[in-house]
Amino acid sequence: MVGWSGRRKNLTILAFVVPTLLAIAVFSVYPFIFNTFISLTNRSKFRPNPDCSVTIWRIVEPTCWLSTEQRGLAEPFTFSDPLLKNYGDLLGGLFTADALLALLRIGLIVAPLIVALVLNNRWGKRLSRPVSSGIVWLGGLVVTILLALPWLLDLPGAYQTLLESGDFIMVNVRTILYVVICMPLFFIFGLTMALILNNDYIKGRTFFRVILIVPWAASTVAIMMSLIWQFFFRGNGTINQFLAVLGIEGPTYLTKDVWAFFVVVLVNLWYTYPFFMVIILGGLQSIPPDLYEAAEVDGASWWQQLMNITLPLLRPAVLPAIVLSTLTTYKVDAVVWGITQGGPVKGADIPGFTEFVMVHAYKQIFQTRAYGRMGAFAVILFVVLFIATLYSLRITRITEGAYE
Amino acid sequence: MNQPPKPWTKILMYVVLVLMTIFALYPVWFAVLAAGRPGQRLYTFDLMGMIVPTQWTWDNLRALLTETAFLTWIKNSLFVATATALAALFIGTSAAFAFSRFKFYGRQGGLILFLAIQAFPGILSLVPIAQILSAVGLYANHWGLIMAYLAGTLVFVIWNLKGYFDTIPIDLEEAAMIDGCDPIQSFVRVALPLARPALAVTLLFGFMAGWGEFFLANILIPAPDAKKTVMVGMYQMANEVNIPWGRFASGAVLVLIPIILIFLWLQRYLESGLTVGGVKG
């Protein structure tokens, strides 16, 4: 910019950004600092109040700002002993020999798939490849499945061990399982619909494109729409009524672990595939048609064109969407809350099969009221999400403008 | 890949399209059917009644509007979501402009901080936010809820508008400054009018984020009924002992239709990547 510099420039910039920084300091940065301090205490429903005579709580605790009087009859909370006790409670189970071994086994089980990916990338750069990419993938998959069997590396056993190493780890393992199941489905549904809608010989494409994003619109009121979905899967809900007409008695989906899990997957698929469809469609339209013409001349089949032209060229458009969607799927809340509330219920304070990370946090804060532990939870989650965000920035380079 | 498909491939494509259309629309259509069905139940033993409206009554809608606080909830939600979006736009636009145009210390760090804030779920900040709001007397108050929404919406607004300002050529502002504008004037008189469409779209998306939010609203405005937002009210209605499904469905339809219309209207912006800041639920 021309014509202005020095003190005046700084003042102008300050005037532009100060209101924003203020709002973010109060409602984003301060809560984080607060959580960090609370995570070091034994605050819970039995010790909900601060001791306002301690300087640090005079500063950090809003309830101490106006008066230092002791509130309530319960004893005030204090720093835990040892200081990082809450972190130990959450993560401790992970650092036992059994749990670490289970993690290692899971790592070894997925290793063949990673090897297949690397091999395909390497061979993809050559003019002629020893075996086709499909066979490499198939090989990797077969070895993975073999390794996962109980008498080799025992994936179910490893999973069970992790489930038993504490609620926090159990909830995280299930959430990651949920993400791992959801993401390929989102992508495959989005890709299929985008490929169909991108075909010039299909009539009424505009109409279908408009209709098919209705679920995305409904996802902005996810909590309400999920309540309607929940009704479909009740014991005497819509699905079972259709089944009854065919003479089949359906299960009560929402009280069975695996059923409830897949209902939540299905509903989230409903909300999310239009997002992928729109992104992939945009990517498809930016692929130059001559590439396909050239491939056609060379005699490439539909599948070869998909694998060697479409998917690689979609990468830049789709990868940011996948990263963003992975994070939002990990943080899924309203969808689950509307359908299962984290159930099926196992008993007080035992996380149900669909109690994913955010639902667990919500329940722990507002039902169990384990404030201290959830402070630690928030700090750990922030670190994880911060790293994930930095990583996604590296991939998507949406900050290109900021780095110049 | 745009060869004419073989006939059976084409048929298969149409079959998939039709099935997916049913999948996409049936839940919404189901709510419409239930809204017009006599009695307070979503289901019927009449199979046709689950596909087309065999009976129709306006009783549910009438009961919803007269016997529940639905209209008040709508009014509250309209107020909260509009005020949030407007405030975020008012505060955030200038920051977005600064982040797009000026070079200053901490710019890159700030942008990354904003993204990290957006990645961090609001539920985990709820306890401190609730405590601040009750300390300043804004707990169970719409203004408190608006302030709690503000930070998240701001980040979205800034990323969105920064992206848009980046696409406006800087030459126009430079020309204005040679003619004697200072940076503030070049912002208000040149950049803002150019960004008008982006401002409108950002406002709408910011509005919808506040409109559909549930968890913060549920905690920060626990009572009375007359202060609740529509999402909280509807959730509560679906958790009553004898769930008034007919009313619930009428309410759901009333909430859904405008949102679907807005989305269809904004379709081309969804595709143009304006959603980088991430409005996806």
Side-chain angles (χ1 to χ4, degrees), chain A residues 6-148:
Chain A
R7 222 169 81 88
R8 212 176 128 211
K9 174 185 166 183
N10 290 336
L11 277 179
T12 315
I13 291 174
L14 215 59
F16 273 89
V17 296
V18 153
T20 299
L21 292 185
L22 218 62
I24 283 177
V26 176
F27 290 103
S28 295
V29 179
Y30 164 76
F32 181 72
I33 295 170
F34 178 92
N35 273 333
T36 313
F37 277 106
I38 293 300
S39 74
L40 304 175
T41 69
N42 57 4
R43 190 176 208 183
S44 68
K45 68 177 155 195
F46 304 113
R47 291 164 168 265
N49 296 315
D51 179 0
C52 291
S53 58
V54 181
T55 322
I56 185 70
W57 302 128
R58 284 271 314 142
I59 300 167
V60 175
E61 256 294 330
T63 41
C64 289
W65 291 348
L66 295 179
S67 81
T68 52
E69 264 172 59
Q70 174 63 42
R71 263 157 239 273
L73 296 171
E75 279 211 32
F77 60 83
T78 57
F79 281 107
S80 341
D81 180 41
L83 201 57
L84 295 178
K85 182 172 177 302
N86 288 321
Y87 294 87
D89 287 352
L90 290 178
L91 291 178
L94 201 57
F95 296 102
T96 57
D98 277 354
L100 286 177
L101 203 64
L103 279 182
L104 188 69
R105 269 149 65 196
I106 292 176
L108 282 177
I109 287 168
V110 295
L113 291 177
I114 297 169
V115 171
L117 182 73
V118 172
L119 266 185
N120 269 336
N121 270 343
R122 185 159 304 167
W123 288 347
K125 293 191 185 101
R126 294 197 196 164
L127 271 179
S128 69
R129 40 188 314 151
V131 281
S132 77
S133 68
I135 293 180
V136 176
W137 276 117
L138 198 67
L141 200 65
V142 168
V143 178
T144 295
I145 292 172
L146 281 179
L147 285 177

Side-chain angles (χ1 to χ4, degrees), chain A residues 16 203 241 270 292 331 341, chain B residues 1 14 23 44 94 119 235:
Chain A
F16 273 89
K203 290 199 183 65
Q241 278 174 39
W270 188 76
Y292 294 112
K331 293 185 291 176
Q341 297 204 354
Chain B
M1 288 189 149
Y14 278 118
F23 180 54
T44 160
S94 64
Y235 178 79

Side-chain angles (χ1 to χ4, degrees), chain A residues 335-381:
Chain A
V335 180
V336 181
W337 194 254
I339 295 173
T340 64
Q341 297 204 354
V345 182
K346 292 272 169 44
D349 239 15
I350 304 171
F353 201 73
T354 60
E355 189 165 323
F356 300 132
V357 174
M358 286 329 298
V359 176
H360 182 67
Y362 188 72
K363 281 183 137 175
Q364 286 284 304
I365 296 173
F366 297 103
Q367 292 178 3
T368 314
R369 292 204 267 158
Y371 300 120
R373 198 152 13 106
M374 285 304 108
F377 187 114
V379 172
I380 294 170
L381 206 68

